[in-house]
Amino acid sequence: MPNMKKGHIDIEDHTITIGGDLYMYQTCKLLHTGNAMLHFNSSTTEQLIRNYNPSIIYPKMRFTGSAVKRPYDNAFDIDGDVIIDDDAIVTSGYKLYVSGNWRNSGTFNHSSDIIFDGANQEISGSTFNNVTFSGTGTKSLGGNINVAGWLKI
């Protein structure tokens, strides 16, 4: 399935709300600007967020609803904020690159790396496995963070 040839989508600065799974195939392009967002909101069924194309740069991502949200298949490069409201995310060993702010009022579980690679980022209290602070500007903590593995600055 990851080699399927699919089209491209330009969401400009709009929001797409997704109640099921997302499949981004190897030949797809996801175009976006400014305030674009992918909003995953299932409360009943686990959501797989399948990234078959590691070169895709994702917009802001928001996770709501009580079902587990599971980024899957490759690292995710998120060019915007990550907002976690009352949800669980299990990355299953896939890296998350985040250039925006990190706002977590839910549950975040993972077994891989989080790389904060933006400028002047705000990071709310969370528990991480491995964390890297890179990029320009200052990383400001909005609460306690717990790092089970390494912390690279």
Side-chain angles (χ1 to χ4, degrees):
M1 189 167 354
N3 292 319
M4 295 177 71
K5 294 190 186 270
K6 298 292 176 187
H8 310 308
I9 183 168
D10 185 350
I11 64 174
E12 297 179 355
D13 66 348
H14 301 289
T15 297
I16 297 178
T17 301
I18 304 164
D21 298 340
L22 172 67
Y23 296 85
M24 293 303 295
Y25 295 102
Q26 288 178 346
T27 57
C28 290
K29 288 184 182 176
L30 176 62
L31 306 171
H32 54 87
T33 58
N35 291 318
M37 180 170 53
L38 297 178
H39 180 188
F40 299 91
N41 70 346
S42 178
S43 290
T44 57
T45 241
E46 177 182 60
Q47 286 185 277
L48 297 178
I49 305 163
R50 312 231 30 180
N51 181 27
Y52 295 121
N53 182 348
S55 66
I56 289 178
I57 297 175
Y58 288 86
K60 177 185 342 182
M61 289 186 162
R62 183 174 186 186
F63 304 94
T64 62
S66 58
V68 170
K69 317 300 187 278
R70 192 178 302 273
Y72 219 65
D73 291 311
N74 276 299
F76 282 75
D77 189 351
I78 304 165
D79 185 25
D81 297 347
V82 172
I83 304 162
I84 305 166
D85 296 329
D86 302 325
D87 294 305
I89 299 176
V90 181
T91 64
S92 301
Y94 297 98
K95 291 180 182 181
L96 296 179
Y97 293 84
V98 179
S99 67
N101 297 320
W102 180 271
R103 296 191 320 214
N104 180 11
S105 61
T107 302
F108 178 71
N109 298 310
H110 75 304
S111 62
S112 188
D113 310 343
I114 303 295
I115 297 95
F116 293 101
D117 59 1
N120 297 324
Q121 293 175 272
E122 294 182 18
I123 301 156
S124 70
S126 292
T127 297
F128 301 104
N129 186 43
N130 296 321
V131 176
T132 299
F133 294 128
S134 66
T136 61
T138 301
K139 311 304 185 218
S140 300
L141 299 183
N144 296 327
I145 66 167
N146 298 303
V147 181
W150 46 254
L151 171 63
K152 295 181 183 180
I153 302 173

